[in-house]
Amino acid sequence: MAGIITRASSPPPPAPATSARAATAEPAWIRWLLITIGVGFLVFFLLLPLVAIFHEAFKRGVALYFATFQDQYALHAIRMTLTVAAISVPLNLLFGLAAAWAITKFTFRGKSLLVTVLDLPFAVSPVIAGLMFVLIFSTTHGWLADPLRNADIQIIFALPGIALATVFITLPFIARELIPVMQAQGRDEEYAALTLGAGGWRTFLTVTLPNVKWGLFYGVVLCNARAMGEFGAVAVVSGNIKGRTSTMPLYIETLYFEYQSAAAFALASVLSLLAVATLALKNFIEWRAARARFKA
Amino acid sequence: MSITASNINKTFGDYRALIDVNLEVPEGKLVSLLGPSGSGKTTLLRILAGLEFPDDDGGGSVSFHGVDVTRTTAGKRGVGFVFQHYALFRHMTVENNVSFGLRAKPARQRPDKAAIKARVRELLQLVQLDGLQQRYPSELSGGQRQRVALARALAVEPKVLLLDEPFGALDARVRKDLRWWLRKFQEEIGITTVFVTHDQEEALELADSVVVMNNARIEQVGDPQTVYDRPASPFVYEFLGDVNRIDGLGPAGVPLYIRPHEIRLCFAAEAPVARSARVLHLFAAGPTARVTLKLDGSDRPLTVDATREQVDDMALQPGDVVGVQWPGQIERAAPPVS
């Protein structure tokens, strides 16, 4: 998470002009080799696949590309993905704020455990995460099978299951972004607000939140990107039923294996555009945050 | 408003930050809590502010003007608190920082916008920063930030002003200026003030009364002159000002503490009642000369503040053997050295 480090620390001091340069200079061929490796890697593993997606998507013509979005299953998958993101991002926003607040502003028993557990979704394979929810909520063999069946609640192979799995997978993103920002700021400003007679809620809204807003936006952007793109966990809990529980990543896979590669890539291009837009937004936020730091 | 803290105990986990601390701050006085880091002075200040609370069991009590406020939260105590690093709201302008406390008041007590603006102006004039309303904290110098923090704390008309290391983050010159400014300021508005510092010079020059703290306890309370001249414990002696410690010279073999200016130098030949010492180093700055000596029978260097004239009269050079004596201790001096 290099992003955290750069934003938590102050901007690097300007490099002293000539002496440092001489000390750190490598022979020209090493520099060129490193640059070539770096750029080559980027082109081969990132740029080329991205170009390939758009190339494949438009290969059979623009008409076919747009025809993909007439398909009711594709539209349903897009709607599903947006719905899942709309559910999981706000939930994680609440959780992330609460967790980061608790971890950075209070001392309590089990704090380090909470910090460790926060990383669990990064450590566990998404497929395992999906299976975990099936094991708990399945109406046929889950731990809660009987009560769920009696209450006629369908979680697995339905929207709630997909949302649950997505929330789990994206759990760390916002909290992880906020913790270092909040830690760097300490508690003094909140204490100051307290001595000036402000209540907890007012302090949160007028002091804490404005101080972490860029970190928060950044976390939301990353969380959203992952929520829309999640495949493994969602594949397990959703059952991938076309037109009912299929999300964009799942439907892309379905299309691909049904040899509808133009449609698959058309849909993939939408997801890729979302990713590119996310990155652009992320850069914009970093730029604004850097400016805000310079200013305030 | 006077402050009384009785039998304050505070523990953090296993760590005892304050042990049976009793403190009385008379109305309108400027009191300094002085001690090394970890002595509990900041914890005591925060307990006075209501940012920390004494232990639940036998933690003691805090009262303001006779009214118990032990469990009252900071916002309801009517204290102004200036934090060590000022804790200005970094995303707010100076104006919004200063008016924060006024804007946070419940609707019925809140002044209207124009009144708030006028009050901010008045406060900024008081701290000599009028005109900087629209600046952000990052656009101010350290000294300016500190005065904004002060104005912000004063906006809610506190009865008590508490400052945590108010000059700690400033460079030496600004520190001295602000020190006098604060003293004058405090006298003018007559607010009961407590400030924390680890700088003995700051405490002695500024405060009406100095509270010396060490290891979670109060070692001594007194006006600066008393604390300096008649330290109640070896710790206070060593912490306040330069002092020589001579082992095994006091009654019953306890160390003797003597300030450098209390020691007199004489020629070794006149030394029937003095101890002899060898001059190690001489340095004269202004009218005083600091002489470092090696006292016979002691490993610690002994420092003496003599007048420059005396050093010249005696024509002292490193390596000379001289006699040293100090008032009241002469009868305990070692036998003469030839």
Side-chain angles (χ1 to χ4, degrees):
Chain A
M1 290 217 164
I4 289 170
I5 294 160
T6 48
R7 275 173 304 106
S9 60
S10 49
T18 48
S19 59
R21 198 171 183 182
T24 57
E26 302 289 344
W29 68 270
I30 290 189
R31 269 183 286 152
W32 281 110
L33 185 72
L34 287 174
I35 291 169
T36 312
I37 290 174
V39 172
F41 205 86
L42 277 181
V43 167
F44 196 73
F45 285 95
L46 290 175
L47 204 59
L48 215 57
L50 203 60
V51 171
I53 287 171
F54 285 91
H55 175 75
E56 286 293 325
F58 286 102
K59 200 164 66 179
R60 311 266 172 81
V62 177
L64 196 66
Y65 178 85
F66 284 106
T68 310
F69 303 106
Q70 307 292 326
D71 173 15
Q72 53 152 330
Y73 293 138
L75 287 177
H76 187 272
I78 292 173
R79 250 200 326 273
M80 195 72 177
T81 291
L82 293 178
T83 310
V84 168
I87 294 170
S88 53
V89 173
L91 281 179
N92 274 331
L93 183 70
L94 284 180
F95 169 80
L97 269 172
W101 175 275
I103 286 168
T104 54
K105 313 272 171 178
F106 300 98
T107 35
F108 54 91
R109 256 169 205 284
K111 183 164 145 174
S112 56
L113 188 71
L114 180 59
V115 178
T116 312
V117 168
L118 209 54
D119 279 341
L120 199 66
F122 280 153
V124 170
S125 156
V127 177
I128 309 291
L131 281 174
M132 202 169 74
F133 283 109
V134 172
L135 200 66
I136 298 171
F137 294 113
S138 162
T139 43
T140 54
H141 55 273
W143 290 355
L144 302 177
D146 292 336
L148 284 175
R149 236 191 344 257
N150 292 340
D152 198 22
I153 298 172
Q154 183 79 25
I155 291 181
I156 301 302
F157 306 138
L159 180 64
I162 300 172
L164 265 177
T166 309
V167 166
F168 177 86
I169 293 296
T170 55
L171 196 69
F173 283 94
I174 292 173
R176 275 277 155 215
E177 280 306 314
L178 287 179
I179 287 169
V181 178
M182 284 186 168
Q183 235 152 18
Q185 284 169 350
R187 303 184 215 179
D188 275 0
E189 284 185 48
E190 275 102 7
Y191 278 134
L194 205 65
T195 63
L196 292 168
W201 187 238
R202 188 185 181 89
T203 302
F204 178 76
L205 286 181
T206 58
V207 176
T208 312
L209 210 53
N211 276 347
V212 301
K213 67 179 173 201
W214 293 117
L216 190 66
F217 281 171
Y218 186 76
V220 165
V221 165
L222 283 182
C223 179
N224 182 58
R226 186 66 198 263
M228 289 186 170
E230 176 52 27
F231 180 87
V234 172
V236 176
V237 292
S238 73
N240 197 1
I241 307 161
K242 232 170 26 176
R244 279 187 52 206
T245 65
S246 200
T247 62
M248 274 170 82
L250 297 183
Y251 192 56
I252 290 168
E253 195 219 20
T254 308
L255 286 173
Y256 184 74
F257 284 118
E258 286 173 356
Y259 300 104
Q260 303 185 46
S261 61
F265 280 107
L267 212 50
S269 73
V270 174
L271 209 51
S272 307
L273 272 182
L274 278 173
V276 171
T278 300
L279 283 179
L281 193 59
K282 182 194 107 148
N283 271 332
F284 174 72
I285 288 171
E286 278 182 345
W287 174 72
R288 283 301 301 265
R291 247 180 39 146
R293 193 181 50 227
F294 178 73
K295 209 174 146 222
Chain B
M1 191 179 290
S2 65
I3 308 173
T4 310
S6 318
N7 300 313
I8 301 289
N9 280 287
K10 176 70 183 174
T11 43
F12 294 107
D14 294 333
Y15 179 71
R16 300 192 71 180
L18 291 173
I19 302 170
D20 280 331
V21 167
N22 287 286
L23 179 69
E24 187 77 41
V25 182
E27 165 136 33
K29 293 294 182 193
L30 181 58
V31 171
S32 135
L33 304 179
L34 173 67
S37 53
S39 58
K41 55 193 192 305
T42 295
T43 306
L44 180 56
L45 191 79
R46 293 174 75 92
I47 285 176
L48 297 182
L51 292 173
E52 301 277 0
F53 296 96
D55 289 344
D56 290 332
D57 253 357
S61 66
V62 178
S63 58
F64 283 7
H65 227 79
V67 181
D68 184 75
V69 293
T70 314
R71 302 283 149 193
T72 310
T73 53
K76 299 214 165 73
R77 279 193 196 188
V79 295
F81 199 101
V82 176
F83 291 80
Q84 185 175 3
H85 300 288
Y86 321 130
L88 294 178
F89 306 126
R90 67 195 85 189
H91 62 279
M92 291 184 203
T93 58
V94 167
E95 172 149 37
N96 286 336
N97 263 285
V98 176
S99 65
F100 186 89
L102 298 171
R103 288 182 287 123
K105 280 181 189 286
R108 277 175 296 113
Q109 301 167 21
R110 196 185 308 147
D112 63 39
K113 274 197 172 143
I116 290 179
K117 211 175 174 72
R119 175 91 179 115
V120 168
R121 177 126 202 245
E122 193 184 309
L123 284 160
L124 288 179
Q125 275 168 349
L126 193 66
V127 298
Q128 299 163 5
L129 288 176
D130 191 23
L132 300 187
Q133 274 89 334
Q134 299 315 315
R135 297 274 190 92
Y136 281 89
S138 60
E139 298 167 334
L140 302 176
S141 71
Q144 288 174 327
R145 282 179 211 178
Q146 201 225 23
R147 285 180 283 153
V148 172
L150 198 59
R152 182 178 70 175
L154 292 171
V156 288
E157 292 177 347
K159 304 290 180 289
V160 169
L161 186 60
L162 306 170
L163 306 108
D164 187 5
E165 295 274 4
F167 313 105
L170 301 171
D171 60 62
R173 208 177 52 78
V174 180
R175 191 184 300 195
K176 285 220 156 140
D177 290 350
L178 265 178
R179 210 188 272 176
W180 290 112
W181 181 83
L182 182 74
R183 172 80 243 200
K184 202 163 84 27
F185 181 84
Q186 192 268 341
E187 272 169 11
E188 273 166 20
I189 62 172
I191 186 172
T192 308
T193 303
V194 181
F195 74 97
V196 156
T197 181
H198 64 268
D199 181 339
Q200 35 113 354
E201 193 186 310
E202 203 165 282
L204 295 174
E205 283 185 15
L206 204 54
D208 295 315
S209 171
V210 178
V211 178
V212 186
M213 296 191 68
N214 182 37
N215 277 336
R217 295 175 202 268
I218 291 180
E219 295 264 341
Q220 187 174 11
V221 182
D223 64 81
Q225 202 63 57
T226 308
V227 173
Y228 186 83
D229 287 342
R230 292 199 293 282
S233 68
F235 171 80
V236 179
Y237 236 133
E238 291 196 2
F239 194 69
L240 287 188
D242 291 322
V243 72
N244 290 294
R245 173 182 162 159
I246 305 173
D247 287 320
L249 252 194
V254 299
L256 187 68
Y257 291 89
I258 312 161
R259 301 237 183 254
H261 69 267
E262 293 175 325
I263 301 176
R264 285 207 313 273
L265 299 178
C266 54
F267 288 110
E270 332 167 341
V273 289
R275 293 186 67 171
S276 71
R278 183 177 298 276
V279 177
L280 296 175
H281 185 74
L282 279 164
F283 175 70
T288 52
R290 171 148 290 200
V291 187
T292 311
L293 303 145
K294 158 102 175 58
L295 192 66
D296 276 0
S298 168
D299 292 336
R300 292 166 194 271
L302 183 75
T303 54
V304 175
D305 285 340
T307 63
R308 199 163 182 160
E309 283 168 345
Q310 194 192 2
V311 170
D312 290 345
D313 288 349
M314 290 177 74
L316 284 184
Q317 295 290 332
D320 288 355
V321 174
V322 295
V324 291
Q325 47 185 218
W326 43 86
Q329 316 302 339
I330 294 167
E331 69 277 8
R332 277 206 299 277
V337 191
S338 56

